[in-house]
Amino acid sequence: MTSPYAQDGFRVGFDWAPSGAAAVPGSITAVVDVLSFTTTVTVAADRGIVVYPYRWRDETAVTYAQRHDAVLAVGRSAAGPGDVSLSPVTIRRAQGIERLVLPSPNGSTICHQLSDSGTTVLAVSLRNRLAAAAWVNARLAEDPGLKVVAIAAGERWKDGSLRPAVEDLWGAGGFLAALDTDGFSPEARAAAAAYRDAEAELPKLLHECAGGRELTQYGFAEDVAIAAEVDSSHCVPVLRDGKLTPST
């Protein structure tokens, strides 16, 4: 029996977090973590940097980075001069980096989870939502039978439970709203509608939402400003062989 949570029978789906990514399979999956994993990935892609998503920043991440001759991002608050972290500001300022291991508990974890699932994984943010949609539209034109799913990463409360993050809803909805197809699930329709409702007030709303206020409070207002560069990137990072490779 088909799971009622799979959004089966629709061409376009939407859900949240690693559990949603597992529940709603698709031919193409757009992972959206606006503050900040997928925004940081698009900034890296703009500079031609290949990103290796990884679940945790621990000793295994150190070994993983060494194996791929890559720089391992440090914690955002631990970054000093010349270091790179989940903060897109540090990527924009970095010099001489070609490969980067970028751990995060949300967007990166979902990408890592989906790497062997058979779906084509894209890193999508507000910065590249139009470019990603155009990339997908070209493939839908060739094969209308493909199913496209957007997964909003969300955040976590201190008890580990999901905190739905409205910025990820907007990012996923902005991507979905630009798809040239029909067959949206009710969940996907709701996400696209949320973006359309907020579109005229972005980036102001991004600074005012809980995630934007949190980063600003911790001294990372510039990260929010970069995340709010709507439609500024033409790169579409695609997960191939465990790494997000810049595509256009």
Side-chain angles (χ1 to χ4, degrees), residues 173 176-178 184 189 191-200:
L176 295 174
F184 278 49
R189 287 179 62 181
Y195 176 79
R196 293 188 186 103
D197 180 72
E199 182 177 13

Side-chain angles (χ1 to χ4, degrees), residues 15-243:
D15 216 298
W16 288 91
S19 296
V24 188
S27 312
I28 299 172
T29 302
V31 176
V32 184
D33 185 355
V34 169
L35 296 175
S36 297
F37 175 74
T38 55
T39 290
T40 302
V41 171
T42 61
V43 172
D46 290 342
R47 304 194 62 188
I49 299 171
V50 172
V51 174
Y52 292 81
Y54 204 72
R55 292 177 183 267
W56 306 110
R57 189 180 297 101
D58 56 14
E59 288 304 314
T60 66
V62 173
T63 303
Y64 186 75
Q66 291 172 344
R67 185 163 72 246
H68 292 284
D69 191 25
V71 172
L72 175 61
V74 303
R76 196 194 305 253
S77 59
D83 288 334
V84 293
S85 72
L86 196 59
S87 166
V89 173
T90 65
I91 306 300
R92 190 163 279 179
R93 295 173 179 169
Q95 300 293 327
I97 295 178
E98 297 180 358
R99 293 171 294 280
L100 176 68
V101 173
L102 188 61
S104 92
N106 301 307
S108 189
T109 294
I110 296 169
C111 288
H112 195 272
Q113 167 188 319
L114 293 174
S115 60
D116 295 322
S117 68
T119 187
T120 298
V121 178
L122 313 180
V124 176
S125 68
L126 289 167
R127 297 184 76 250
N128 75 329
R129 59 114 200 167
L130 275 184
W135 191 94
V136 172
N137 284 335
R139 280 140 190 87
L140 288 173
E142 297 172 356
D143 185 356
L146 296 175
K147 180 175 178 179
V148 183
V149 177
I151 298 295
E155 298 292 339
R156 296 286 169 181
W157 293 109
K158 289 184 178 180
D159 65 1
S161 61
L162 173 68
R163 178 175 72 78
V166 71
E167 65 270 16
D168 294 341
L169 178 64
W170 292 330
F175 161 75
L176 295 174
L179 293 180
D180 187 18
T181 188
D182 55 9
F184 278 49
S185 71
E187 292 82 359
R189 287 179 62 181
Y195 176 79
R196 293 188 186 103
D197 180 72
E199 182 177 13
E201 297 180 77
L202 292 172
K204 176 176 175 284
L205 290 178
L206 192 62
H207 288 270
E208 293 182 344
C209 72
R213 290 185 176 192
E214 179 185 37
L215 282 183
T216 299
Q217 184 176 12
Y218 290 130
F220 297 103
E222 194 173 350
D223 287 356
V224 184
I226 292 175
E229 295 171 347
V230 181
D231 301 333
S232 63
S233 175
H234 301 291
C235 284
V236 185
V238 181
L239 190 65
R240 302 183 180 98
D241 300 322
K243 56 184 181 289

